[in-house]
Amino acid sequence: GNSVTQMEGPVTLSEEAFLTINCTYTATGYPSLFWYVQYPGEGLQLLLKATKADDKGSNKGFEATYRKETTSFHLEKGSVQVSDSAVYFCALSTNAGKSTFGDGTTLTVKP
Amino acid sequence: GAGVSQTPSNKVTEKGKYVELRCDPISGHTALYWYRQSLGQGPEFLIYFQGTGAADDSGLPNDRFFAVRPEGSVSTLKIQRTERGDSAMYLCASSSVAGGSTDTQYFGPGTRLTVL
């Protein structure tokens, strides 16, 4: 079956530090890959996505590249802000849009 | 409405009782999904509707769980004879296209179910 493994947290960084959250996946077929973010007290929202190999998704300074050869979709940001503190979920979707999620990584950014 | 809405936001019930959780998707979205999220874990797929029919219910844990979407819009997740292990956040999502793998799913705020 499909599965997503992401870096365990929590992750604590100082403002302006570089962020990487690792995500690897196992899937049958050709999945689309997603990063979702959940800010404190809010619902899940899409951060970025990539639908085929070598695609790069980007949004709000975050980036992730779909690497089929390593089955990975690592999330990066060059300079984090306090407002980026949230829980980040990596996910994949195969046919019919059924999504499989990782367990989430909690990021805390300190001023 | 502007986004996916779910009611109630919180539901506390006693073991053995029946509960209904409602999801109102974004207007015009044909695909609707239910997920369950336990504390410290990611959402787990329960069921997917395309229009009025359940296209995939492979994630429903047992026959105590059932969902309907009679008019292709609002959906209700029904849980019979609730157990303490059913306590979780129940999330609903909708998407505008025919449930393809590239579609963006828009999530509601969830219903937190607590079974005492």
Side-chain angles (χ1 to χ4, degrees):
Chain A
N2 298 336
S3 67
V4 174
T5 302
Q6 64 180 99
M7 177 173 155
E8 288 187 19
V11 174
T12 303
L13 295 173
S14 297
E15 207 164 22
E16 299 184 4
F18 183 84
L19 169 71
T20 300
I21 301 178
N22 290 338
C23 171
T24 57
Y25 68 90
T26 303
T28 53
Y30 301 97
S32 294
L33 302 175
F34 303 80
W35 276 100
Y36 287 86
V37 59
Q38 188 167 31
Y39 297 105
E42 298 185 18
L44 269 175
Q45 55 186 276
L46 180 69
L47 180 60
L48 53 84
K49 69 178 183 182
T51 59
K52 61 183 188 295
D54 300 325
D55 269 3
K56 179 186 283 189
S58 61
N59 186 26
K60 298 181 181 180
F62 291 88
E63 293 184 340
T65 301
Y66 189 141
R67 301 286 187 199
K68 190 177 177 193
E69 63 276 12
T70 55
T71 62
S72 65
F73 192 55
H74 304 321
L75 182 68
E76 296 183 336
K77 186 174 185 181
S79 176
V80 293
Q81 305 300 311
V82 172
S83 59
D84 293 327
S85 298
V87 183
Y88 292 83
F89 292 91
C90 184
L92 68 82
S93 180
T94 54
N95 59 301
K98 173 174 144 180
S99 293
T100 301
F101 286 80
D103 284 339
T105 301
T106 300
L107 170 66
T108 302
V109 180
K110 297 190 171 180
Chain B
V4 178
S5 61
Q6 293 185 245
T7 55
S9 54
N10 279 286
K11 176 70 177 178
V12 180
T13 190
E14 293 179 344
K15 181 175 177 295
K17 299 289 189 183
Y18 167 83
V19 296
E20 290 190 350
L21 311 179
R22 175 189 167 108
C23 172
D24 204 335
I26 292 172
S27 178
H29 280 193
T30 57
L32 185 146
Y33 306 82
W34 283 99
Y35 294 87
R36 179 168 70 173
Q37 184 176 18
S38 300
L39 201 60
Q41 296 183 10
E44 291 180 300
F45 170 80
L46 295 177
I47 186 169
Y48 152 58
F49 286 90
Q50 182 55 42
T52 60
D56 184 347
D57 65 357
S58 61
L60 294 178
N62 51 59
D63 61 5
R64 295 187 297 105
F65 288 74
F66 189 72
V68 295
R69 195 186 184 198
E71 297 178 359
S73 177
V74 170
S75 176
T76 305
L77 178 66
K78 308 180 180 195
I79 310 174
Q80 298 178 322
R81 305 183 303 281
T82 52
E83 299 178 357
R84 292 195 180 88
D86 298 335
S87 297
M89 179 73 85
Y90 289 81
L91 299 173
C92 176
S94 69
S95 67
S96 60
V97 196
S101 64
T102 63
D103 302 340
T104 295
Q105 294 183 22
Y106 296 86
F107 282 81
T111 293
R112 180 162 299 284
L113 175 66
T114 302
V115 182
L116 301 177

